[in-house]
Amino acid sequence: MAQQIVLPKLGLTMQEGVIGEWLAGEGQHIAVGDLLLRLETDKVEVDVEAEAEGILATGASAGDVLPVGAVIGWLLGEGESAPDGTATVAKQEPVAQTHTAAASLVVGGPDDGGRIKSSPNARRVAVAANVDLSTIRGTGPGGRIVSEDVEEHLAAAPATAPEPAAATPATGKVAQTAGAAGQFVGPIVRRRADELGVDLAEVAGTGIGGRITKADVEAAAGTVAAPAAIGGSPATGPQPGEVIPLTGMRGAIARNMIDSLQTMAQLTHGYEVDVTALVAVREQLKAEAAQSGSKAPSLNDFVVKAAALALREHPLLNAGIADDKITLFEEINVGVAVAVDGGLIVPVVRDADSLSVAEVADRTRTLASGARTGKLGLSDMEGATFSVSTLGAYGVDFFTPVINPGNVAILGVGRVKDGFRWEGETPVRTQVLTLSLTFDHRAVDGAPAAEYLKALSAILSRPLSLLAGR
């Protein structure tokens, strides 16, 4: 019997997704756990696995933007036709698929279904590099093998070029996923190569195991003459004359921001904080970190920690509105805005009030790196109860951040600048940070919002206590 393939709901706020690419082809025999497609949401790109078996008939194309629950294809029995008439599949012999075999290996500790505990991307990388997953120890949740585990295995093994996998008549996928010498190339890298007009077969990979990275593609593109920007530097980013569709991440950001502004009564308070002592403490930490070869927490890490502690005192800012009710959240999970190519994503530092400043710093660095390399999962993106957005590095003092739907407040962090205070008749130089708190006036009045900023300022003025506290 024909079984529907529907666009899955991958998060509480997900309303639609973009078909990034089909990883299996029309007419291909599919087994449970095989990779079907790469789905792009407003937050992450996710590989979708088959939950049943059959012959694939696709009902949607790469680039289609569809709502959650939309039928995007079918898994058919021999000789069946798709119910909507999108495709008819003739009876044929199954085509051997190397990635199916990889998906069925019982390695790294099988899950309850007897399948490998590994991420879809880990299986794809393993197949492309001819790696036996049974030789790899998983470091993901519950011992799950993730792509980084495979890459570390490749880095530790003697460098050998993987044999190119034969393209199947049904899909010809190898031509889409292979670079020089049949090397695996991820979809983000392929997309960047298409944008820059780079032939992947001519690119030498510098990544783990010789994999081609996005930087390799951009470096290869840099050998081609490009229009120079003012000052002689090559032009980067969107160029005049381009048309940027409001789809995928960009479209989701547009909808979320409009929804936020149309459904909330948003007001912003500006507040200057004396961070002279904090700047001095951080400079000392930077000097100590330089000697040990480690990294000191950023000013923003201190702000994230302090903002979380202040939410303990002012829980009305750590809330959401639904069904005409204000719900005060029990957990304090701070979303930290990260700028990425084509948009902005907000990964979450969970239980930020219970972490040390050093732990917050480790977490924010990991999340920022994962955001910019496309390695975040949905669990990294869901559940923020409050958010922090920083533009100080761009020289911005004050701005009006827009509240993320589901929250009632967001904190904007500007740059540190010179200020002064009077000691008698003598002006004393200080370091000043401007904070911008946008809050939903339906849930929070002006005075409680100001009290929150006052509490936050007091916490930031005691950096040594902040370092010692949890």
Side-chain angles (χ1 to χ4, degrees):
M1 176 182 290
Q3 300 189 56
Q4 293 180 343
I5 303 171
V6 300
L7 192 84
K9 186 177 181 67
L10 301 176
L12 295 176
T13 61
M14 179 179 171
Q15 297 179 350
E16 67 179 22
V18 181
I19 307 296
E21 63 175 319
W22 284 96
L23 302 176
E26 188 80 24
Q28 181 176 327
H29 287 259
I30 302 296
V32 175
D34 282 0
L35 299 180
L36 290 176
L37 70 148
R38 169 151 288 201
L39 181 65
E40 298 177 2
T41 74
D42 58 325
K43 298 176 179 177
V44 292
E45 293 184 348
V46 178
D47 290 343
V48 178
E49 298 180 349
E51 297 181 353
E53 61 180 28
I55 301 172
L56 178 63
T58 58
S61 302
D64 286 353
V65 182
L66 299 167
V68 169
V71 178
I72 58 176
W74 300 86
L75 290 174
L76 310 175
E78 297 288 354
E80 278 190 318
S81 298
D84 60 1
T86 56
T88 300
V89 181
K91 186 174 181 179
Q92 55 183 294
E93 292 301 318
V95 179
Q97 298 294 327
T98 55
H99 70 268
T100 300
S104 63
L105 288 174
V106 182
V107 295
D111 61 18
D112 293 339
R115 292 180 53 236
I116 180 177
K117 290 202 295 186
S118 60
S119 70
N121 201 40
R123 293 198 293 275
R124 285 205 298 147
V125 174
V127 170
N130 291 329
V131 172
D132 182 356
L133 289 176
S134 64
T135 63
I136 299 176
R137 182 179 64 87
T139 62
R144 190 179 192 223
I145 297 174
V146 294
S147 59
E148 288 83 357
D149 297 328
V150 181
E151 292 176 345
E152 288 181 4
H153 175 83
L154 289 171
T160 56
E163 297 179 6
T168 67
T171 66
K173 289 301 292 182
V174 171
Q176 299 179 23
T177 58
Q183 185 64 275
F184 173 81
V185 181
I188 294 176
V189 175
R190 294 201 305 277
R191 185 180 302 119
R192 188 59 174 154
D194 289 341
E195 292 171 355
L196 298 176
V198 173
D199 183 356
L200 290 171
E202 299 179 358
V203 178
T206 61
I208 295 175
R211 291 180 64 190
I212 298 174
T213 66
K214 185 178 175 183
D216 295 331
V217 172
E218 292 173 344
T223 62
V224 181
I230 295 176
S233 300
T236 60
Q239 299 300 308
E242 289 186 18
V243 176
I244 302 175
L246 284 177
T247 58
M249 180 186 295
R250 189 74 261 162
I253 291 173
R255 290 188 301 276
N256 287 342
M257 294 301 96
I258 290 174
D259 177 64
S260 177
L261 292 170
Q262 288 183 341
T263 59
M264 299 186 202
Q266 299 193 26
L267 181 66
T268 303
H269 281 350
Y271 200 95
E272 284 196 346
V273 180
D274 186 334
V275 292
T276 307
L278 175 57
V279 171
V281 167
R282 183 172 180 271
E283 288 301 317
Q284 182 177 347
L285 291 175
K286 286 174 61 178
E288 293 174 357
Q291 293 179 350
S292 63
S294 58
K295 292 185 178 180
S298 69
L299 284 174
N300 199 56
D301 295 325
F302 281 92
V303 173
V304 169
K305 170 64 176 179
L309 291 177
L311 288 172
R312 285 181 178 176
E313 302 176 29
H314 300 272
L316 197 56
L317 278 296
N318 191 58
I321 296 180
D323 301 324
D324 295 325
K325 296 177 182 178
I326 303 171
T327 300
L328 278 61
F329 301 121
E330 295 182 4
E331 297 178 337
I332 297 178
N333 301 328
V334 179
V336 182
V338 178
V340 298
D341 289 344
L344 183 77
I345 60 178
V346 187
V348 181
V349 178
R350 299 189 182 280
D351 300 316
D353 60 317
S354 300
L355 302 177
S356 67
V357 173
E359 290 169 335
V360 169
D362 288 341
R363 183 63 178 150
T364 56
R365 278 194 292 266
T366 300
L367 290 171
S369 175
R372 294 180 179 122
T373 57
K375 293 183 178 180
L376 292 182
L378 284 170
S379 61
D380 297 315
M381 309 294 297
E382 297 285 350
T385 61
F386 183 89
S387 296
V388 173
S389 180
T390 304
L391 290 178
Y394 299 94
V396 175
D397 291 330
F398 174 85
F399 61 104
T400 54
V402 178
I403 301 171
N404 289 312
N407 297 164
V408 299
I410 182 172
L411 182 70
V413 183
R415 69 183 173 115
V416 175
K417 60 182 180 179
D418 288 338
F420 73 93
R421 68 172 181 269
W422 290 99
E423 292 186 357
E425 296 297 320
T426 305
V428 178
R429 181 182 177 183
T430 61
Q431 297 287 290
V432 176
L433 177 67
T434 301
L435 301 177
S436 312
L437 179 69
T438 298
F439 56 95
D440 188 346
H441 215 321
R442 297 176 302 164
V444 185
D445 292 327
E451 288 294 333
Y452 171 79
L453 287 169
K454 184 177 179 180
L456 175 55
S457 175
I459 294 171
L460 289 172
S461 70
R462 304 188 302 271
L464 293 179
S465 298
L466 188 58
L467 278 173
R470 276 185 177 267

